[in-house]
Amino acid sequence: MEPEIPTLKQKWKRHYYERDFTVKPETAGLLAIVFFWYMVAIFALLEHFMLIPGVFKSSTIRFWITVSTWFMVIQLSVNWFLTARKRISQVQNKNDQQSQLAPTHTPPGWRNCPTCQIDIPPRAHHCSICGICVLKRDHHCFFTGTCVGFNNHRHYIVWLVYTSIATMFGVITSLLYLNDVIPLQSNFIDYIPVVAVWKWYQGTLSSALFFLVVHLYLFIGSFISVFPFSVWQVYITMNGQTSFEGKRSIKTYKTNMRQHLKIIFGPYWLLNFLVPLPVLPEGDGIYWDINPDYQNKYN
C-alpha cells in the first residue's frame, strides 16, 4: 500500500509546529547592534540638521550645543568600539597556570571550567554565548556583542553614561521642537502613537513630523532602557562588585570606594569621561584585595 501523500496544508501545518521560534542569542545580538548604530546615526543627523537649528535661535548657543552633541556621539561611538573588542578579557592559559600557585590575596576560589578545560580565577565566569571564560565577568552585553569584563568594564560604563545623556537630550530637543509645531498643552492627543499614525495616514500630519514623533518614542524607550543600567553600574562600581556579585549580595571584594574606582578607571578616573583611553586597567584580574570582614570570617 502506497503511503499517503500529505497535502500542502498538512505540510505547512507540520512546518509551523516543527519550527523553532526561539530567538537565538546571535540573532538578538545582531539586531541589538544594528538598532544601536541606527539610533546613533539618527540622533546625530536629527540633532545637527533639524532639532538644534529649530530649537536654539542664538547662533552662539547653537554652536556650543552642536559641539557638545558631536562630542557625545564621538564618546559613545569610540567607547562602544573599545567595549566591543572580542576576547579582551578572556582567561588565558597563563592565567590557568597561576592556579597552581598558592594565592595569598584571594580566598580559595579557583574553579575548573568543564567547557574550556582550564582553571579560572575568582570572579571569572564562563559565557555560553562568547564561548570563553572572562576575567571579572560582569555580564554579556547584546548591544556590543561581547562580554563586559576586567579589561573593558571602564569603557562600558562610560558608553552607558553618554548613551543615557544622548537619549535624554534627544527626548528634550524632540519635545521642544514638536511643541513649537504641535503644542503639547492643546494637542497632547496628537502625540499618542495610534493618533499620530492615523493623522499621518489621513495626510493631516506631515511625514517629517510623524518621523519625529516615532523617534521621540524611540528616544524615550532607549533612555528608559539604558539609564537604569547606568545607575546600576555606578552603584556596583562604588561597592566593588560585578553584576553577578551585586545580584547575590556578595561583598567579598568590597574595600573602599576610591580603590574601587581606581581598579576600573585607573588613577585619573574622571579623565575617562573626557577622553576615550584605550588602555588596560591596573592589575591582572586574578588577585584581589579582600574585605577585612570576609578575611576575619574565614581565618
Side-chain angles (χ1 to χ4, degrees):
M1 183 176 179
E2 295 184 1
E4 182 181 353
I5 300 176
T7 64
L8 181 62
K9 181 179 179 180
Q10 290 173 327
K11 290 181 179 180
W12 277 106
K13 186 175 181 180
R14 185 175 59 187
H15 174 74
Y16 175 81
Y17 283 108
E18 292 179 355
R19 183 178 178 183
D20 183 10
F21 287 95
T22 305
V23 179
K24 293 179 173 55
E26 298 80 5
T27 304
L30 178 61
L31 291 175
I33 292 172
V34 170
F35 176 76
F36 167 73
W37 283 110
Y38 170 78
M39 290 302 295
V40 171
I42 287 297
F43 171 77
L45 294 175
L46 276 179
E47 293 293 346
H48 187 86
F49 294 105
M50 185 177 183
L51 298 179
I52 293 177
V55 172
F56 303 99
K57 306 306 179 183
S58 169
S59 58
T60 302
I61 295 176
R62 188 165 59 245
F63 170 78
W64 287 112
I65 292 293
T66 302
V67 170
S68 301
T69 300
W70 282 105
F71 174 77
M72 285 189 287
V73 172
I74 292 171
Q75 279 283 359
L76 62 89
S77 298
V78 174
N79 279 286
W80 184 93
F81 280 108
L82 293 174
T83 303
R85 290 176 292 176
K86 298 293 184 182
R87 303 179 183 272
I88 187 67
S89 299
Q90 181 179 5
V91 178
Q92 306 291 339
N93 288 331
K94 64 179 180 179
N95 303 138
D96 176 34
Q97 296 171 3
Q98 296 187 46
S99 67
Q100 308 302 321
L101 305 176
T104 57
H105 296 88
T106 57
W110 287 82
R111 295 169 289 109
N112 182 265
C113 175
T115 305
C116 297
Q117 292 295 304
I118 59 172
D119 290 335
I120 58 176
R123 312 187 84 178
H125 297 278
H126 182 82
C127 176
S128 59
I129 300 175
C130 293
I132 60 174
C133 290
V134 180
L135 291 171
K136 191 176 174 278
R137 183 177 183 271
D138 190 86
H139 71 287
H140 182 90
C141 177
F142 285 98
F143 285 95
T144 59
T146 190
C147 269
V148 177
F150 178 69
N151 289 321
N152 63 350
H153 202 169
R154 71 164 70 180
H155 306 299
Y156 174 74
I157 295 175
V158 177
W159 171 68
L160 276 182
V161 169
Y162 276 105
T163 302
S164 299
I165 296 173
T167 51
M168 179 178 64
F169 185 72
V171 171
I172 294 172
T173 52
S174 296
L175 282 174
L176 291 174
Y177 185 94
L178 285 169
N179 188 55
D180 286 341
V181 185
I182 314 172
L184 266 170
Q185 191 171 2
S186 58
N187 300 86
F188 177 78
I189 193 172
D190 291 345
Y191 288 81
I192 299 175
V194 176
V195 176
V197 171
W198 177 252
K199 289 205 167 189
W200 172 71
Y201 177 75
Q202 292 290 95
T204 55
L205 184 67
S206 68
S207 296
L209 290 179
F210 174 71
F211 181 82
L212 191 54
V213 170
V214 170
H215 285 81
L216 167 64
Y217 282 96
L218 289 178
F219 286 136
I220 293 173
S222 299
F223 176 75
I224 293 173
S225 301
V226 174
F227 182 68
F229 275 98
S230 302
V231 174
W232 170 251
Q233 285 295 323
V234 171
Y235 172 77
I236 61 174
T237 297
M238 294 172 66
N239 282 279
Q241 297 171 306
T242 62
S243 289
F244 179 87
E245 296 160 354
K247 292 174 182 177
R248 294 162 179 79
S249 299
I250 299 173
K251 300 181 180 179
T252 308
Y253 308 98
K254 183 177 181 180
T255 53
N256 62 78
M257 188 175 68
R258 184 175 181 181
Q259 183 66 16
H260 300 158
L261 292 173
K262 184 178 179 182
I263 288 172
I264 292 182
F265 296 108
Y268 309 105
W269 65 271
L270 187 60
L271 191 60
N272 292 271
F273 293 90
L274 301 177
V275 181
L277 300 174
V279 296
L280 298 179
E282 298 178 358
D284 54 14
I286 298 175
Y287 299 114
W288 303 93
D289 292 329
I290 306 302
N291 186 326
D293 295 335
Y294 184 92
Q295 285 182 327
N296 294 336
K297 182 178 179 180
Y298 287 89
N299 284 341

